């Protein structure tokens, strides 16, 4: 056989094998039915289709962001795009304001597992704002559009030696979602929630007018916007503080046993200002690993661990090894790898979708495509799978005062029994708005994140979650609004302070323009 023909044959064989596999898969789908495959063998669909598609999405958006920033075209186009949004709102008003307005971004593109059916009935305002507008290192501010993602922000800022004080974990989280909802990270014990590092918001209001608000200019609106879920106006830009970045995080791992010891240790570390990062992973009610980190430019080569490399073990599994061996550990982690340490495994949710995803063979062969985009998982889950997830899966973040941590963990254990549990401390300042401490002083809170399949006997989503929500209200805590919320209207406004919010909705003419946040969020209000 001549060499060119042999070479062609060698290159075609993998393609033929892949085509045969795809054909067999399609025949299997036809035999079993697509819904059966999506529910019972979802990993096949995810590995063959969603992982490659997610990779293409990521490459496209990364290249686009890089080109836009290099050409410096975003600031010039931004003003025109804002004028187009104003025009759409004014046209809605001229046509009689017949329905509420909402952003035209498809519901499946959001990180929230909730399906927003209001997109089909409300007036969709198209908001194509996904660029970083300006980085001002003198003022230590980055100005961004609302659809800029955390992946975009870290890629740009770390490349020029800067970072956000609070940089929430998942790549696809957007600035708009983190402001209109909320965001938190392991640096929040120093800087607060994502809203607390924002210095200005720019919005288009219900009458089509443009407004800029800061703590000193239109301050009522500035404090009312966070957690309002787009029910006071359309966010078109935000200014966010930035701080100098260092190359590595010096990360210490300490296994702790016994609930009292875990809560005491976690509280102590959260109160130490020298810790740049604090995080806890609770593997059972009395077993945890508490991690503390400090940014540094120096690293011991023998202890360098690039945890973000695709072939590395999932981070929560890596941490669990310290618990199993009962050893204290010290590692130096590249800063961007640290920020996105839970991204590849979507915390620990990916183990339910790809059960063998942490297997070394899978990581080395296919790990470079992980994770699948949450938006694509939502888009392809179907109604049956969505209902199964709702009844047999929990994705919740509850924010409670640190002093209530032992009671809260016992309540989580008894009501839902989901592990691991994510613990993240944060400072909650006494400021106006929907979320603030009960008293007049700043208070230390903790985010308790439960993601997974409940192991409590006879779990029933509505009754169990209502019980958990009742406890959170009783300790003056808060439920993150991306998750399913089962409270009635009275309970919701018992949890959140709606005084400023309702005052501004009336003042800005929002009643006919946007639904109330409760009607947009809570299951009892959605149809």
């Amino acid at each position: 056989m001549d060499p060119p023909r042999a070479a062609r044959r060698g290159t075609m064989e993998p393609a033929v094998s892949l085509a045969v596999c795809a054909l067999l898969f399609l025949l299997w789908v036809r035999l079993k039915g697509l819904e059966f495959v999506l529910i019972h063998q979802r990993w096949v669909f995810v590995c063959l289709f969603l992982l490659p598609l997610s990779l293409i999405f990521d490459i496209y958006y990364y290249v686009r962001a890089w080109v836009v920033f290099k050409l410096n075209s975003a600031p010039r186009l931004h003003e025109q795009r804002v004028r187009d949004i104003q025009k759409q709102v004014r046209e809605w008003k001229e046509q009689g304001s017949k329905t509420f307005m909402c952003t035209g971004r498809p519901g499946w593109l959001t990180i929230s597992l909730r399906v927003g059916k209001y997109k089909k009935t409300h007036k969709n305002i198209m908001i194509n704002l996904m660029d970083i507008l300006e980085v001002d290192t003198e003022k230590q501010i980055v100005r961004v559009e609302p659809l800029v993602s955390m992946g975009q922000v870290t890629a740009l800022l770390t490349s020029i030696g800067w970072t956000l004080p609070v940089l929430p974990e998942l790549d696809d989280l957007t600035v708009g979602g983190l402001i209109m909802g909320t965001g938190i990270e392991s640096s929040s014990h120093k800087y607060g929630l994502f809203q607390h590092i924002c210095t200005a918001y720019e919005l288009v209001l219900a009458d089509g007018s443009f407004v800029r608000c800061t703590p000193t200019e239109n301050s009522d609106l500035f404090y009312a916007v966070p957690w309002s879920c787009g029910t006071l106006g359309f966010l078109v830009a935000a200014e966010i503080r930035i701080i100098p970045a260092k190359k590595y995080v010096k990360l210490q791992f300490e296994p702790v046993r016994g609930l009292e010891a875990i809560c005491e240790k976690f509280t102590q570390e959260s109160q130490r200002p020298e810790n740049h990062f604090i995080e806890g992973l609770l593997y059972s009610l009395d077993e945890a690993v508490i991690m503390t980190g400090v940014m540094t430019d120096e690293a011991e080569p023998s202890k360098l661990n690039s945890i973000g490399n695709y072939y590395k073990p999932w981070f929560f599994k890596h941490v669990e090894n310290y618990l199993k061996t009962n050893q204290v550990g010290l590692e130096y982690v590249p800063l961007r790898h640290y920020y996105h340490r839970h991204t590849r495994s979507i915390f620990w949710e990916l183990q339910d979708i790809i059960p063998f995803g942490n297997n070394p063979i899978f990581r080395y062969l296919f790990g470079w495509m992980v994770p699948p985009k949450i938006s694509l998982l939502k888009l392809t889950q179907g109604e049956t799978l969505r209902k199964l997830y709702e009844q047999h899966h929990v994705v919740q973040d509850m924010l409670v005062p640190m002093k209530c941590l032992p009671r809260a963990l016992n309540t989580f254990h008894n009501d839902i029994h989901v592990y691991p549990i994510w613990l993240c401390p944060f400072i909650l300042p006494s400021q106006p708005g929907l979320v603030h401490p009960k008293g007049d002083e700043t208070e230390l809170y903790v985010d308790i994140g439960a993601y997974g399949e409940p192991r409590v006997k006879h779990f029933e989503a509505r009754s169990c979650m209502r019980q958990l929500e009742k406890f959170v209200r009783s300790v003056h805590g808060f439920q993150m609004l991306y998750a399913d919320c089962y409270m009635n209207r009275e309970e919701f406004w018992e949890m959140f302070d709606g005084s400023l919010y309702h005052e501004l909705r009336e003042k800005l003419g929002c009643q006919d323009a946007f639904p109330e946040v409760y009607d947009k969020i809570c299951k009892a209000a959605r149809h």
Side-chain angles (χ1 to χ4, degrees), residues 243-263:
I243 58 175
K246 295 187 178 181
K247 293 179 182 178
Y248 307 104
V249 174
K250 182 181 179 181
L251 192 59
Q252 293 187 314
F253 303 80
E254 183 171 345
V256 185
R257 286 178 166 79
L259 181 59
E260 186 178 340
I262 291 169
C263 295

Side-chain angles (χ1 to χ4, degrees), residues 114 118 179-181 225-233 434 481 517 520-521:
R114 186 172 50 248
Y118 60 86
I179 291 170
M180 290 296 183
V225 161
W227 296 72
S228 65
C229 298
T231 60
L232 292 173
L434 285 160
L481 300 183
V517 63
K520 199 171 181 180
I521 295 303

Side-chain angles (χ1 to χ4, degrees), residues 169 185-186 249 251-253 279-281 283 289-292 305-310 312-322 331 333 337-348 358 363 420 422:
E169 168 67 38
E185 238 309 315
S186 54
V249 174
L251 192 59
Q252 293 187 314
F253 303 80
E279 175 183 31
L281 293 185
Y283 292 91
V289 177
I290 295 173
M291 289 157 278
T292 58
N305 186 3
S306 300
I307 58 175
N309 289 342
Y310 70 88
K312 290 283 190 174
W314 289 346
F315 183 69
F316 79 98
K317 287 294 188 184
H318 173 63
V319 174
E320 190 176 17
N321 284 332
Y322 284 104
E331 298 177 0
V333 179
H337 287 218
Y338 176 80
Y339 280 139
H340 298 292
R341 62 201 177 281
H342 293 298
T343 296
R344 283 189 301 123
S345 57
I346 318 178
F347 280 84
W348 30 92
N358 194 46
R363 291 201 311 266
W422 190 54

Side-chain angles (χ1 to χ4, degrees), residues 286-301:
D286 59 358
E287 292 181 309
V289 177
I290 295 173
M291 289 157 278
T292 58
V294 177
M295 276 199 285
T296 177
D297 282 324
E298 305 297 328
E300 299 176 42

Side-chain angles (χ1 to χ4, degrees), residues 19-191:
V20 170
C21 288
L23 181 61
L24 290 173
F25 173 74
L26 291 173
L27 289 172
W28 183 47
V29 168
R30 184 175 182 125
L31 179 67
K32 289 288 191 178
L34 182 59
E35 188 173 65
F36 176 89
V37 174
L38 289 179
I39 293 173
H40 299 286
Q41 303 293 339
R42 196 155 193 234
W43 65 268
V44 179
F45 182 76
V46 170
C47 291
L48 287 180
F49 293 99
L50 295 194
L51 287 181
L53 196 57
S54 298
L55 184 66
I56 293 168
F57 265 64
D58 284 337
I59 292 171
Y60 167 75
Y61 282 113
Y62 177 82
V63 172
R64 183 196 177 280
W66 184 84
V67 170
V68 166
F69 190 78
K70 289 297 181 183
L71 295 178
N72 199 32
S73 61
R76 174 170 43 84
L77 295 174
H78 174 74
E79 293 183 8
Q80 177 57 47
R81 289 169 180 159
V82 172
R83 285 195 293 271
D84 179 60
I85 293 166
Q86 291 179 280
K87 180 182 176 184
Q88 291 179 69
V89 173
R90 286 170 182 149
E91 286 175 352
W92 164 84
K93 199 169 180 64
E94 289 167 4
Q95 292 166 3
S97 312
K98 295 175 183 176
T99 62
F100 289 137
M101 291 184 288
C102 67
T103 65
R105 189 185 188 209
W108 62 269
L109 274 174
T110 63
I111 292 294
S112 170
L113 297 180
R114 186 172 50 248
V115 177
K117 295 182 180 179
Y118 60 86
K119 295 278 184 182
K120 297 177 182 178
T121 57
H122 294 183
K123 169 66 175 175
N124 282 209
I125 304 297
M126 302 311 297
I127 298 180
N128 184 29
L129 300 171
M130 56 179 68
D131 295 316
I132 296 173
L133 300 173
E134 179 187 7
V135 179
D136 189 330
T137 54
E138 287 189 10
K139 294 181 180 177
Q140 298 195 2
I141 292 293
V142 60
R143 183 167 173 256
V144 300
E145 292 180 328
L147 295 181
V148 165
S149 71
M150 291 300 100
Q152 277 176 265
V153 170
T154 46
L156 174 66
L157 290 183
T158 54
S159 72
I160 58 175
W162 293 83
T163 187
L164 298 182
V166 176
L167 207 155
E169 168 67 38
L170 300 177
D171 279 6
D172 290 343
L173 291 168
T174 63
V175 167
L178 294 168
I179 291 170
M180 290 296 183
T182 192
I184 191 170
E185 238 309 315
S186 54
S187 56
S188 288
H189 68 293
K190 287 173 67 74
Y191 299 104

Side-chain angles (χ1 to χ4, degrees), residues 332-500:
Y332 291 84
V333 179
L335 181 63
R336 191 163 185 235
H337 287 218
Y338 176 80
Y339 280 139
H340 298 292
R341 62 201 177 281
H342 293 298
T343 296
R344 283 189 301 123
S345 57
I346 318 178
F347 280 84
W348 30 92
E349 288 280 74
L350 197 57
Q351 66 182 348
D352 291 332
I353 299 168
I354 307 177
F356 48 83
N358 194 46
N359 183 285
I361 297 173
F362 180 86
R363 291 201 311 266
Y364 274 92
L365 293 178
F366 304 107
W368 50 278
M369 290 192 289
V370 168
K373 297 189 88 60
I374 295 174
S375 54
L376 294 179
L377 290 170
K378 275 179 65 177
L379 180 64
T380 58
Q381 70 180 175
E383 187 64 18
T384 302
L385 187 59
R386 187 191 67 77
K387 287 181 178 177
L388 281 173
Y389 258 75
E390 181 181 316
Q391 287 302 320
H392 304 288
H393 203 85
V394 166
V395 180
Q396 290 283 350
D397 283 85
M398 298 292 189
L399 316 180
V400 301
M402 183 67 82
K403 62 190 177 188
C404 302
L405 181 57
R407 287 172 56 202
L409 292 179
N410 271 308
T411 302
F412 268 71
H413 181 83
N414 294 330
D415 288 354
I416 56 176
H417 200 104
V418 169
Y419 293 100
I421 279 178
W422 190 54
L423 299 178
C424 185
F426 69 98
I427 283 292
L428 186 60
S430 181
Q431 295 176 346
L434 285 160
V435 172
H436 55 74
K438 189 173 184 179
D440 296 329
E441 302 204 358
T442 295
E443 187 170 353
L444 185 64
Y445 270 62
V446 57
D447 174 8
I448 305 176
Y451 326 118
E453 186 175 341
R455 300 191 194 106
V456 67
K457 289 183 179 179
H458 312 301
F459 176 79
E460 197 280 318
R462 186 179 184 277
S463 61
C464 290
M465 289 315 306
R466 279 188 55 77
Q467 198 166 308
L468 191 57
E469 290 167 346
K470 181 179 180 181
F471 167 78
V472 173
R473 289 196 307 275
S474 74
V475 296
H476 199 75
F478 307 95
Q479 180 179 24
M480 281 198 187
L481 300 183
Y482 77 88
D484 281 332
C485 175
Y486 294 84
M487 291 181 283
N488 62 37
R489 195 179 303 272
E490 183 181 352
E491 291 165 344
F492 183 86
W493 291 117
E494 180 187 336
M495 178 178 284
F496 297 97
D497 181 357
S499 54
L500 178 62

